[in-house]
Short mmCIF file of all heavy atoms in Angstrom, two decimals:
data_model
loop_
_atom_site.label_atom_id
_atom_site.label_comp_id
_atom_site.label_asym_id
_atom_site.label_seq_id
_atom_site.Cartn_x
_atom_site.Cartn_y
_atom_site.Cartn_z
N LYS Z 74 70.44 70.90 -24.72
CA LYS Z 74 69.23 71.05 -23.92
C LYS Z 74 69.34 70.25 -22.62
O LYS Z 74 68.96 70.73 -21.55
CB LYS Z 74 68.01 70.60 -24.72
CG LYS Z 74 66.68 70.86 -24.00
CD LYS Z 74 65.50 70.50 -24.90
CE LYS Z 74 64.18 70.80 -24.18
NZ LYS Z 74 63.01 70.46 -25.05
N GLN Z 75 69.87 69.04 -22.71
CA GLN Z 75 70.06 68.22 -21.51
C GLN Z 75 71.01 68.89 -20.53
O GLN Z 75 70.84 68.79 -19.31
CB GLN Z 75 70.62 66.85 -21.90
CG GLN Z 75 69.63 65.92 -22.58
CD GLN Z 75 68.55 65.40 -21.65
OE1 GLN Z 75 68.76 65.26 -20.44
NE2 GLN Z 75 67.37 65.12 -22.19
N LEU Z 76 71.99 69.60 -21.05
CA LEU Z 76 72.98 70.28 -20.21
C LEU Z 76 72.55 71.69 -19.83
O LEU Z 76 73.30 72.41 -19.17
CB LEU Z 76 74.33 70.33 -20.94
CG LEU Z 76 74.97 68.99 -21.31
CD1 LEU Z 76 76.29 69.21 -22.04
CD2 LEU Z 76 75.19 68.14 -20.08
N LYS Z 77 71.34 72.07 -20.29
CA LYS Z 77 70.80 73.42 -20.02
C LYS Z 77 71.74 74.49 -20.56
O LYS Z 77 72.02 75.50 -19.91
CB LYS Z 77 70.53 73.62 -18.52
CG LYS Z 77 69.42 72.71 -18.00
CD LYS Z 77 69.18 72.94 -16.53
CE LYS Z 77 67.91 72.21 -16.04
NZ LYS Z 77 67.91 70.76 -16.32
N LEU Z 78 72.23 74.26 -21.78
CA LEU Z 78 73.13 75.20 -22.44
C LEU Z 78 72.54 75.62 -23.78
O LEU Z 78 71.72 74.91 -24.36
CB LEU Z 78 74.50 74.55 -22.68
CG LEU Z 78 75.28 74.09 -21.45
CD1 LEU Z 78 76.51 73.30 -21.88
CD2 LEU Z 78 75.68 75.27 -20.58
N LYS Z 79 72.99 76.76 -24.28
CA LYS Z 79 72.56 77.25 -25.58
C LYS Z 79 73.49 76.66 -26.65
O LYS Z 79 74.71 76.81 -26.56
CB LYS Z 79 72.64 78.78 -25.63
CG LYS Z 79 72.30 79.37 -27.00
CD LYS Z 79 72.52 80.88 -26.98
CE LYS Z 79 72.28 81.48 -28.38
NZ LYS Z 79 72.55 82.93 -28.42
N PRO Z 80 72.96 75.98 -27.67
CA PRO Z 80 73.83 75.44 -28.71
C PRO Z 80 74.21 76.51 -29.74
O PRO Z 80 73.37 77.25 -30.22
CB PRO Z 80 72.97 74.36 -29.36
CG PRO Z 80 71.56 74.85 -29.18
CD PRO Z 80 71.55 75.60 -27.87
N VAL Z 81 75.48 76.58 -30.05
CA VAL Z 81 75.98 77.49 -31.10
C VAL Z 81 76.84 76.65 -32.04
O VAL Z 81 77.73 75.92 -31.59
CB VAL Z 81 76.82 78.64 -30.49
CG1 VAL Z 81 77.53 79.41 -31.60
CG2 VAL Z 81 75.94 79.57 -29.68
N PHE Z 82 76.57 76.73 -33.33
CA PHE Z 82 77.26 75.90 -34.31
C PHE Z 82 78.30 76.70 -35.10
O PHE Z 82 78.05 77.84 -35.51
CB PHE Z 82 76.25 75.28 -35.28
CG PHE Z 82 75.29 74.34 -34.59
CD1 PHE Z 82 74.05 74.78 -34.18
CD2 PHE Z 82 75.65 73.02 -34.34
CE1 PHE Z 82 73.16 73.93 -33.52
CE2 PHE Z 82 74.77 72.16 -33.69
CZ PHE Z 82 73.52 72.61 -33.29
N VAL Z 83 79.45 76.08 -35.29
CA VAL Z 83 80.54 76.68 -36.06
C VAL Z 83 80.84 75.73 -37.22
O VAL Z 83 81.27 74.58 -37.01
CB VAL Z 83 81.80 76.87 -35.21
CG1 VAL Z 83 82.94 77.44 -36.06
CG2 VAL Z 83 81.51 77.77 -34.02
N THR Z 84 80.59 76.16 -38.45
CA THR Z 84 80.85 75.31 -39.61
C THR Z 84 82.29 75.47 -40.07
O THR Z 84 82.81 76.58 -40.20
CB THR Z 84 79.88 75.64 -40.77
OG1 THR Z 84 80.00 77.03 -41.10
CG2 THR Z 84 78.45 75.34 -40.37
N THR Z 85 82.93 74.33 -40.32
CA THR Z 85 84.35 74.29 -40.68
C THR Z 85 84.60 73.14 -41.65
O THR Z 85 83.96 72.10 -41.55
CB THR Z 85 85.22 74.05 -39.41
OG1 THR Z 85 84.88 75.02 -38.42
CG2 THR Z 85 86.69 74.17 -39.72
N LYS Z 86 85.51 73.32 -42.58
CA LYS Z 86 85.87 72.23 -43.50
C LYS Z 86 86.43 71.07 -42.69
O LYS Z 86 87.11 71.26 -41.68
CB LYS Z 86 86.90 72.72 -44.53
CG LYS Z 86 86.31 73.65 -45.57
CD LYS Z 86 87.34 74.00 -46.63
CE LYS Z 86 86.73 74.89 -47.71
NZ LYS Z 86 87.72 75.24 -48.76
N PHE Z 87 86.18 69.85 -43.18
CA PHE Z 87 86.55 68.66 -42.42
C PHE Z 87 88.02 68.65 -42.02
O PHE Z 87 88.37 68.30 -40.89
CB PHE Z 87 86.23 67.39 -43.22
CG PHE Z 87 86.52 66.13 -42.45
CD1 PHE Z 87 85.59 65.61 -41.58
CD2 PHE Z 87 87.76 65.49 -42.56
CE1 PHE Z 87 85.86 64.47 -40.83
CE2 PHE Z 87 88.04 64.35 -41.82
CZ PHE Z 87 87.08 63.84 -40.96
N ASP Z 88 88.90 69.02 -42.94
CA ASP Z 88 90.33 68.96 -42.66
C ASP Z 88 90.75 69.88 -41.51
O ASP Z 88 91.83 69.72 -40.95
CB ASP Z 88 91.13 69.33 -43.92
CG ASP Z 88 91.04 68.24 -44.98
OD1 ASP Z 88 90.68 67.10 -44.62
OD2 ASP Z 88 91.30 68.53 -46.16
N SER Z 89 89.90 70.85 -41.17
CA SER Z 89 90.22 71.78 -40.08
C SER Z 89 89.41 71.52 -38.80
O SER Z 89 89.63 72.18 -37.79
CB SER Z 89 89.96 73.22 -40.53
OG SER Z 89 90.66 73.53 -41.70
N LEU Z 90 88.49 70.57 -38.87
CA LEU Z 90 87.61 70.32 -37.72
C LEU Z 90 88.37 69.94 -36.46
O LEU Z 90 88.16 70.51 -35.39
CB LEU Z 90 86.61 69.22 -38.06
CG LEU Z 90 85.25 69.64 -38.59
CD1 LEU Z 90 84.42 68.40 -38.93
CD2 LEU Z 90 84.50 70.52 -37.61
N VAL Z 91 89.24 68.95 -36.58
CA VAL Z 91 89.97 68.46 -35.42
C VAL Z 91 90.88 69.54 -34.85
O VAL Z 91 90.97 69.72 -33.64
CB VAL Z 91 90.77 67.19 -35.79
CG1 VAL Z 91 91.64 66.74 -34.62
CG2 VAL Z 91 89.81 66.06 -36.17
N ALA Z 92 91.53 70.29 -35.73
CA ALA Z 92 92.42 71.36 -35.28
C ALA Z 92 91.65 72.41 -34.49
O ALA Z 92 92.20 73.07 -33.60
CB ALA Z 92 93.11 72.01 -36.48
N GLY Z 93 90.36 72.57 -34.79
CA GLY Z 93 89.54 73.54 -34.07
C GLY Z 93 89.38 73.21 -32.61
O GLY Z 93 89.21 74.11 -31.77
N LEU Z 94 89.45 71.93 -32.26
CA LEU Z 94 89.41 71.54 -30.84
C LEU Z 94 90.68 71.99 -30.14
O LEU Z 94 90.65 72.46 -29.01
CB LEU Z 94 89.25 70.02 -30.71
CG LEU Z 94 87.86 69.43 -30.89
CD1 LEU Z 94 87.92 67.90 -30.82
CD2 LEU Z 94 86.88 69.96 -29.85
N ASP Z 95 91.81 71.83 -30.82
CA ASP Z 95 93.11 72.23 -30.24
C ASP Z 95 93.16 73.73 -29.96
O ASP Z 95 93.72 74.17 -28.96
CB ASP Z 95 94.25 71.87 -31.19
CG ASP Z 95 94.36 70.37 -31.41
OD1 ASP Z 95 94.06 69.61 -30.47
OD2 ASP Z 95 94.73 69.95 -32.53
N SER Z 96 92.56 74.51 -30.86
CA SER Z 96 92.60 75.97 -30.71
C SER Z 96 91.40 76.50 -29.92
O SER Z 96 91.21 77.70 -29.83
CB SER Z 96 92.64 76.63 -32.10
OG SER Z 96 91.46 76.30 -32.83
N GLN Z 97 90.60 75.57 -29.37
CA GLN Z 97 89.42 75.92 -28.57
C GLN Z 97 88.43 76.78 -29.36
O GLN Z 97 87.80 77.68 -28.83
CB GLN Z 97 89.84 76.62 -27.28
CG GLN Z 97 90.66 75.72 -26.36
CD GLN Z 97 91.01 76.39 -25.04
OE1 GLN Z 97 91.37 77.57 -25.01
NE2 GLN Z 97 90.89 75.64 -23.97
N LYS Z 98 88.30 76.47 -30.62
CA LYS Z 98 87.34 77.15 -31.48
C LYS Z 98 85.92 76.73 -31.11
O LYS Z 98 84.96 77.47 -31.30
CB LYS Z 98 87.64 76.80 -32.94
CG LYS Z 98 86.86 77.60 -33.97
CD LYS Z 98 87.32 77.24 -35.38
CE LYS Z 98 86.56 78.01 -36.44
NZ LYS Z 98 87.02 77.66 -37.81
N TYR Z 99 85.80 75.51 -30.57
CA TYR Z 99 84.52 75.00 -30.10
C TYR Z 99 84.78 73.97 -28.99
O TYR Z 99 85.93 73.55 -28.75
CB TYR Z 99 83.70 74.36 -31.23
CG TYR Z 99 84.50 73.88 -32.42
CD1 TYR Z 99 85.26 72.72 -32.36
CD2 TYR Z 99 84.53 74.62 -33.60
CE1 TYR Z 99 86.00 72.28 -33.45
CE2 TYR Z 99 85.27 74.20 -34.69
CZ TYR Z 99 86.00 73.03 -34.61
OH TYR Z 99 86.75 72.63 -35.69
N ASP Z 100 83.70 73.56 -28.33
CA ASP Z 100 83.81 72.63 -27.21
C ASP Z 100 83.78 71.17 -27.66
O ASP Z 100 84.34 70.29 -27.00
CB ASP Z 100 82.65 72.83 -26.23
CG ASP Z 100 82.57 74.25 -25.70
OD1 ASP Z 100 83.57 74.73 -25.15
OD2 ASP Z 100 81.50 74.88 -25.84
N ILE Z 101 83.07 70.93 -28.75
CA ILE Z 101 82.77 69.56 -29.17
C ILE Z 101 82.60 69.50 -30.68
O ILE Z 101 82.17 70.49 -31.29
CB ILE Z 101 81.48 69.09 -28.44
CG1 ILE Z 101 81.11 67.64 -28.77
CG2 ILE Z 101 80.31 70.01 -28.76
CD1 ILE Z 101 79.94 67.12 -27.93
N VAL Z 102 82.97 68.38 -31.26
CA VAL Z 102 82.75 68.16 -32.69
C VAL Z 102 81.69 67.06 -32.85
O VAL Z 102 81.81 65.99 -32.26
CB VAL Z 102 84.05 67.72 -33.41
CG1 VAL Z 102 83.74 67.21 -34.82
CG2 VAL Z 102 85.02 68.89 -33.50
N LEU Z 103 80.66 67.37 -33.62
CA LEU Z 103 79.63 66.38 -33.98
C LEU Z 103 79.58 66.34 -35.50
O LEU Z 103 78.99 67.22 -36.13
CB LEU Z 103 78.27 66.78 -33.40
CG LEU Z 103 78.11 66.68 -31.88
CD1 LEU Z 103 76.78 67.28 -31.45
CD2 LEU Z 103 78.20 65.23 -31.42
N ASN Z 104 80.24 65.33 -36.09
CA ASN Z 104 80.34 65.31 -37.55
C ASN Z 104 80.55 63.87 -38.04
O ASN Z 104 81.43 63.62 -38.84
CB ASN Z 104 81.50 66.20 -38.01
CG ASN Z 104 81.40 66.60 -39.47
OD1 ASN Z 104 80.62 67.48 -39.81
ND2 ASN Z 104 82.17 65.97 -40.34
N ASN Z 105 79.74 62.95 -37.51
CA ASN Z 105 79.89 61.54 -37.86
C ASN Z 105 81.34 61.11 -37.65
O ASN Z 105 81.93 60.40 -38.48
CB ASN Z 105 79.46 61.29 -39.31
CG ASN Z 105 79.31 59.82 -39.65
OD1 ASN Z 105 78.99 59.00 -38.80
ND2 ASN Z 105 79.54 59.47 -40.91
N MET Z 106 81.93 61.52 -36.52
CA MET Z 106 83.34 61.25 -36.24
C MET Z 106 83.53 59.87 -35.63
O MET Z 106 82.88 59.52 -34.64
CB MET Z 106 83.90 62.31 -35.29
CG MET Z 106 83.82 63.74 -35.80
SD MET Z 106 84.81 64.03 -37.28
CE MET Z 106 86.46 64.06 -36.59
N SER Z 107 84.43 59.10 -36.22
CA SER Z 107 84.76 57.77 -35.69
C SER Z 107 86.02 57.85 -34.85
O SER Z 107 86.83 58.76 -34.99
CB SER Z 107 84.98 56.79 -36.83
OG SER Z 107 83.82 56.64 -37.61
N LYS Z 108 86.18 56.87 -33.98
CA LYS Z 108 87.41 56.75 -33.21
C LYS Z 108 88.45 56.02 -34.05
O LYS Z 108 88.12 55.18 -34.87
CB LYS Z 108 87.18 55.90 -31.95
CG LYS Z 108 86.55 56.58 -30.77
CD LYS Z 108 86.55 55.59 -29.61
CE LYS Z 108 85.81 56.13 -28.41
NZ LYS Z 108 85.83 55.18 -27.28
N ASN Z 109 89.71 56.36 -33.83
CA ASN Z 109 90.80 55.54 -34.32
C ASN Z 109 91.94 55.71 -33.32
O ASN Z 109 91.91 56.62 -32.48
CB ASN Z 109 91.20 55.91 -35.76
CG ASN Z 109 91.70 57.33 -35.91
OD1 ASN Z 109 92.44 57.83 -35.07
ND2 ASN Z 109 91.30 58.00 -36.99
N PRO Z 110 92.92 54.81 -33.33
CA PRO Z 110 93.98 54.87 -32.31
C PRO Z 110 94.68 56.22 -32.21
O PRO Z 110 94.97 56.69 -31.11
CB PRO Z 110 94.96 53.77 -32.78
CG PRO Z 110 94.09 52.80 -33.50
CD PRO Z 110 93.07 53.64 -34.22
#
Side-chain angles (χ1 to χ4, degrees):
K74 186 175 181 180
Q75 287 289 331
L76 299 179
K77 294 180 171 55
L78 299 172
K79 176 185 176 183
V81 170
F82 296 95
V83 178
T84 56
T85 307
K86 287 185 178 180
F87 183 85
D88 290 341
S89 304
L90 266 177
V91 175
L94 281 176
D95 297 327
S96 61
Q97 296 183 318
K98 189 175 180 180
Y99 23 75
D100 303 305
I101 182 173
V102 168
L103 290 172
N104 199 77
N105 192 30
M106 300 296 286
S107 298
K108 279 185 186 181
N109 61 41

